[in-house]
Amino acid sequence: MTQRTLRRFLTQTLSDNSDLVFLIEDIAAACRIIADRVRNAPFDGDLGTTKTENVQGELQKPLDLIANDVVERVCANSPRLAALVSEEVEEVTWLKPPQKGDFVLYFDPLDGSSNLDVNLSVGTIFSIMQITQDGQRDILRPGRNQICAGYAIYGPTTMLVFSLGQGVNGFSCHSTTGEFRLTHSNLRVPETTTEFAINASRQMFWDGAIQSYVADCVAGVSGPRGQYFNMRWTASMVAEVHRILMCGGVFLYPKDRENAAKGGRLRLMYEANPMAWIIQAAGGDATTGDTQILDVIPTEAHQRVPVILGSAQEVDTIRRYYRRQG
Ligand code: AFP
């Protein structure tokens, strides 16, 4: 059977919201262009690092800036798009005076960019919310208010994975035609897992709950978990989340002694919220360790939060380690 194109899926699913259809298609078009720039970076001299830092104090890669400009340029004329919040830009970009129902697009234009020079998978993460009333510049709302969120992963295949709240679907981009077609429908996160993803080099900073959780996992079949675990870490959240969506697992970037003062490592509005939305729409779970990520009330556009997300039963097991820690 011919796989549905993105356009057909959107017009069938969002028949009463053409403006949202246009915005998601614009995002897909931007991701297709970014995929091409990532693929051809060695020929275009776009690898390496610039001398500029982003608002997070991180050295920007040329493709971070290119990807940001592509999203801004392709989406800027999307009907009812009122504002852009980008990891690479400190201020909110207002495109029009906000009216009730207008869209706000939060995005990390190129996540995992530390992997670019070593040719590993990177991605674009996006989240869409709406203005609640005319003139209200209320862009800091909890993630539960998202109306659409997802990511593009630039791997062996470029895929666009997103949810409108019910279910998660994956669209693969055909390398010749550039069409996005529905190749992975109704993705579900397996409830249980024996695989965890964490940056183990930070063990010296972890609190007792995470120390105990990881120790019990690596104790294997003779340990408290009574089974062997596998560990992954690619330093690209998009790649970790995609693997969890496809075959289960749990991803941890917890609060620790080193990042606690900043609130954590990952950003709420354009990393934690969209990934939590996707994982929960696929039957998984997502917490900061204290509270559901989607319930966190934002205080500023680039704020950071701890992130623990993935297979629901494993996330619940980690909650029990936190409760035991008290
Ligand atoms: P970059 O986009 O700067 O590479 O950061 C990627 C990221 O935000 C997320 O995708 C990874 O899970 C995490 O940072 C990796 O953090 P470490 O560098 O501490 O492994």
Side-chain angles (χ1 to χ4, degrees), residues 127-249:
S127 163
I128 303 170
M129 289 199 231
Q130 289 181 285
I131 296 290
T132 55
Q133 57 186 23
D134 289 357
Q136 244 340 42
R137 295 194 163 201
D138 56 340
I139 59 146
L140 297 179
R141 300 172 69 214
R144 208 165 288 287
N145 295 286
Q146 294 170 104
I147 59 169
C148 177
Y151 59 83
I153 180 166
Y154 311 120
T157 299
T158 291
M159 276 186 76
L160 184 72
V161 178
F162 65 88
S163 174
L164 295 160
Q166 300 298 325
V168 179
N169 292 292
F171 297 79
S172 299
C173 185
H174 195 285
S175 62
T176 311
T177 65
E179 260 187 337
F180 279 99
R181 286 193 176 269
L182 180 58
T183 52
H184 297 72
S185 55
N186 196 26
L187 291 165
R188 303 292 293 170
V189 179
E191 286 228 347
T192 61
T193 185
T194 57
E195 194 162 273
F196 66 95
I198 194 166
N199 180 345
S201 71
R202 301 185 63 85
Q203 184 182 19
M204 70 200 91
F205 302 126
W206 293 340
D207 62 21
I210 299 299
Q211 296 277 3
S212 303
Y213 170 71
V214 173
D216 289 352
C217 287
V218 300
V221 67
S222 57
R225 302 298 304 273
Q227 55 191 340
Y228 290 114
F229 276 72
N230 204 347
M231 196 195 93
R232 292 281 183 270
W233 191 251
T234 59
S236 170
M237 188 183 195
V238 169
E240 313 280 5
V241 169
H242 191 66
R243 187 188 56 248
I244 289 169
L245 199 51
M246 301 302 285
C247 52

Side-chain angles (χ1 to χ4, degrees), residues 58 64 87 108 110-115 125 199 202 233 235-238 240 251 253 265-267 271:
E58 297 155 346
D64 283 324
E87 181 199 36
D108 180 354
L110 204 59
D111 177 71
S113 50
S114 53
N115 285 303
I125 309 173
N199 180 345
R202 301 185 63 85
W233 191 251
S236 170
M237 188 183 195
V238 169
E240 313 280 5
F251 169 92
Y253 215 114
R265 166 75 163 85
L266 302 176
R267 278 68 57 151
E271 288 179 322

Side-chain angles (χ1 to χ4, degrees), residues 61 111-122 234-237:
K61 306 260 183 192
D111 177 71
S113 50
S114 53
N115 285 303
L116 284 166
D117 293 358
V118 295
N119 200 21
L120 291 181
S121 295
V122 294
T234 59
S236 170
M237 188 183 195

